[in-house]
Amino acid sequence: MVEPDPFGSMDWAESLVPKRPKLLVVDDQTVNIQALYQIFGADHEVFMATSGSQAIKVCLDKKPDLILLDVIMPEMDGIAVCEELQKNSDTRSIPVIFVTSQESPEEESRGLEVGAVDFISKPVNPAVVRARVRTHLTLKAQADALRVMASRDGLTGIPNRRYFDERLAAEWRSAKRGSQPLSLILIDVDHFKAYNDHYGHVEGDTCLRRVAKALKLSVGRGRDIVARYGGEEFVCLLPETDLAGAEEMAEKLRSAVADLEISHKSSPVGNTVTISLGVATIVPTSLTGPETLLVRTDELLYKAKESGRNQVVAQAI
């Protein structure tokens, strides 16, 4: 199947918009919320908030696809809400359309500076607000799809090195804040050059795809990821996982690849494709950085390979 061109027609992005997009309507006047609900309630999932603090909580809980936000509200106005949303990576990409009774150029300029994508005047015109919302939902779907493509390894379809680096940095910060363990597994396909030399690069690519799929299917928790690290190396990131849990996962990954029984007649280890794994666990502090975990895990992978391959070598830092 040929994938549609993401840089072509907007029809592709429109097809990615959820059938019932999630909208958050924020206004301290319930009559205004009701008016927008009448416009969107039939074909959108509409959430409501009557204050800025409530809006932020709903955003974190419900992850809306778009926000219709009143500018003038008591305590926390729309500008402040938008600024808070921009500070959080989980909410930064949600498009915000300001709904306002004021139309000064200064207000529009300030709104765009803090991250809003559009302005709609009160009282709202149903046809106009529908068109604006549809346009920005389409643009968001396109941006989301391109982000996914940029984070995906072209050969195996699993996350790539770039995505892994971003997640490692984020999980490191989270683990440091909560004084939680963070575990890493580096994985190397044993004697893969010999596999390519014997079977050819086309079969080598097929082998890597099968290994990647087996690794991915072995990881079950939402925050755990398997990514392609480079060449025949893969990596598994395990937040809030101690050494025992990480070592257990590594054995599971090793067994999953062995169970594929991919023929490897040129391997000194055996007749099938195997993997070697280095496992390290650390509780991050201000005195260490992610590179500490990466370097030590790589050293442990080297030990696994030097000790005969097809095995796990693990250590807490």
Side-chain angles (χ1 to χ4, degrees):
M1 177 180 177
V2 178
E3 292 188 1
D5 179 6
F7 301 101
S9 168
M10 290 284 283
D11 292 345
W12 170 65
E14 288 175 355
S15 71
L16 298 177
V17 176
K19 291 186 178 179
R20 280 182 59 83
K22 295 186 290 185
L23 302 186
L24 171 60
V25 179
V26 187
D27 199 305
D28 62 315
Q29 301 294 320
T30 56
V31 64
N32 293 327
I33 292 178
Q34 289 169 355
L36 287 167
Y37 183 83
Q38 289 298 318
I39 296 171
F40 293 106
D43 46 9
H44 295 71
E45 188 175 358
V46 181
F47 303 103
M48 308 172 196
T50 55
S51 69
S53 57
Q54 185 183 17
I56 292 170
K57 185 178 185 304
V58 174
C59 281
L60 293 171
D61 291 343
K62 303 297 184 182
K63 300 293 190 299
D65 297 300
L66 184 142
I67 304 167
L68 292 164
L69 176 62
D70 185 23
V71 176
I72 302 174
M73 296 186 294
E75 297 181 13
M76 188 178 194
D77 65 13
I79 297 292
V81 172
C82 204
E83 288 176 328
E84 285 300 311
L85 295 175
Q86 286 295 308
K87 292 177 184 177
N88 192 322
S89 60
D90 291 333
T91 56
R92 189 177 300 139
S93 64
I94 304 173
V96 174
I97 298 178
F98 276 138
V99 182
T100 178
S101 56
Q102 300 185 11
E103 299 183 33
S104 71
E106 293 78 15
E107 183 181 70
E108 289 197 17
S109 176
R110 177 62 176 144
L112 295 172
E113 286 175 0
V114 298
V117 297
D118 207 346
F119 279 79
I120 295 174
S121 299
K122 294 180 182 178
V124 298
N125 179 307
V128 170
V129 71
R130 275 186 174 277
R132 298 278 183 86
V133 166
R134 183 172 62 251
T135 294
H136 288 294
L137 284 173
T138 300
L139 291 171
K140 181 178 185 295
Q142 188 177 47
D144 288 347
L146 291 174
R147 273 194 295 271
V148 169
M149 291 171 64
S151 300
R152 186 177 63 189
D153 176 59
L155 175 66
T156 64
I158 66 174
N160 59 18
R161 173 71 177 271
R162 173 183 173 181
Y163 181 79
F164 163 74
D165 288 341
E166 292 173 353
R167 282 292 303 274
L168 175 60
E171 294 295 355
W172 183 274
R173 292 191 296 268
S174 177
K176 186 169 71 171
R177 283 195 304 269
S179 297
Q180 293 292 321
L182 181 64
S183 292
L184 187 67
I185 305 173
L186 276 177
I187 304 153
D188 187 78
V189 179
D190 294 326
H191 300 289
F192 187 69
K193 183 181 183 302
Y195 186 96
N196 268 340
D197 290 344
H198 183 85
Y199 295 97
H201 288 281
V202 173
E203 285 300 315
D205 287 350
T206 300
C207 173
L208 289 178
R209 282 193 288 266
R210 292 185 65 189
V211 168
K213 183 177 180 180
L215 296 175
K216 180 181 177 181
L217 292 175
S218 298
V219 176
R221 299 187 312 173
R223 286 169 60 193
D224 298 346
I225 68 160
V226 168
R228 190 177 180 196
Y229 198 64
E232 67 271 22
E233 284 193 328
F234 298 88
V235 62
C236 179
L237 183 64
L238 304 169
E240 297 183 18
T241 304
D242 60 16
L243 184 63
E247 196 167 5
E248 181 180 348
M249 173 57 71
E251 286 291 351
K252 183 178 179 181
L253 297 174
R254 191 191 63 79
S255 295
V257 172
D259 289 345
L260 293 174
E261 297 185 340
I262 301 172
S263 179
H264 190 351
K265 294 179 180 178
S266 298
S267 173
V269 180
N271 294 322
T272 60
V273 168
T274 59
I275 55 175
S276 299
L277 307 95
V279 183
T281 300
I282 191 172
V283 177
T285 70
S286 57
L287 300 177
T288 55
E291 65 280 356
T292 304
L293 182 59
L294 278 167
V295 169
R296 187 57 185 145
T297 310
D298 191 50
E299 291 171 347
L300 294 167
L301 172 60
Y302 181 79
K303 283 188 176 182
K305 293 162 69 173
E306 285 293 296
S307 301
R309 303 182 185 252
N310 190 26
Q311 60 183 279
V312 174
V313 174
Q315 186 181 76
I317 302 175

